[in-house]
Amino acid sequence: MKRVFKIQLHISAEPPYCFPNWLYQITFPPTVRRWIVDMEGAPGTLYEGEKFQLLFKFSSRYPFDSPQVMFTGENIPVHPHVYSNGHICLSILTEDWSPALSVQSVCLSIISMLSSCKEKRRPPDNSFYVRTCNKNPKKTKWWYHDDTC
């Protein structure tokens, strides 16, 4: 958890310069292991102006173990890789995770995923998945077969 705390201190003292202000803002709740990230859809995309929240949960094995990341709050984006319960089908959140990845790079990947979407729709198996899945999206055995939206 030392690394999570160090990242939190670094981001608080020096917000990332490479991301425009509208991309995201990190709120640090009293516990170091749970972060809320407020995001806004990028200009010129289907999600322009929409506001979303991501929940990051860090295990004691972070950064060697990926954080649990999911959308939370009132507005879960309607996207082919985002389930209505907030779970995100994105390989860097599970099997393609690397300790070199950061909260910022995860946020940028999610913003990029949303920005490349051509049609707002839920995954075809949304209803079944939401009824039967584990609360932790990392316990899902995802099948990555679609690089397009």
Side-chain angles (χ1 to χ4, degrees):
M1 292 321 317
K2 284 184 198 175
R3 178 160 175 193
V4 174
F5 186 69
K6 284 169 69 175
I7 293 168
Q8 181 177 340
L9 287 176
H10 176 73
I11 290 174
S12 296
E14 222 177 288
Y17 66 90
C18 56
F19 299 101
N21 290 340
W22 52 262
L23 282 182
Y24 67 85
Q25 176 181 345
I26 300 173
T27 304
F28 303 108
T31 173
V32 171
R33 290 182 186 238
R34 293 171 57 100
W35 293 8
I36 300 293
V37 177
D38 292 307
M39 302 176 68
E40 187 171 323
T45 70
L46 294 175
Y47 302 94
E48 180 174 3
E50 291 187 48
K51 296 185 184 321
F52 308 106
Q53 286 190 320
L54 286 172
L55 171 63
F56 279 74
K57 290 183 182 178
F58 302 93
S59 76
S60 59
R61 293 196 19 81
Y62 179 83
F64 302 103
D65 185 29
S66 66
Q68 178 183 325
V69 182
M70 58 189 287
F71 282 100
T72 189
E74 298 289 317
N75 191 24
I76 306 295
V78 176
H79 184 279
H81 298 156
V82 179
Y83 290 84
S84 59
N85 63 356
H87 290 192
I88 306 165
C89 181
L90 185 63
S91 64
I92 66 164
L93 300 179
T94 54
E95 64 192 39
D96 289 339
W97 172 256
S98 163
L101 292 171
S102 65
V103 170
Q104 294 95 323
S105 62
V106 170
C107 289
L108 186 59
S109 293
I110 292 171
I111 288 169
S112 176
M113 179 189 79
L114 292 176
S115 296
S116 66
C117 186
K118 305 288 185 243
E119 178 187 4
K120 287 186 176 184
R121 60 182 169 81
R122 289 281 178 222
D125 61 340
N126 182 70
S127 296
F128 177 76
Y129 175 78
V130 170
R131 274 194 328 270
T132 61
C133 70
N134 190 293
K135 288 185 181 185
N136 181 347
K138 289 177 55 175
K139 299 202 184 240
T140 297
K141 183 65 179 156
W142 297 105
W143 180 36
Y144 305 107
H145 62 283
D146 178 17
D147 292 335
T148 64
C149 294

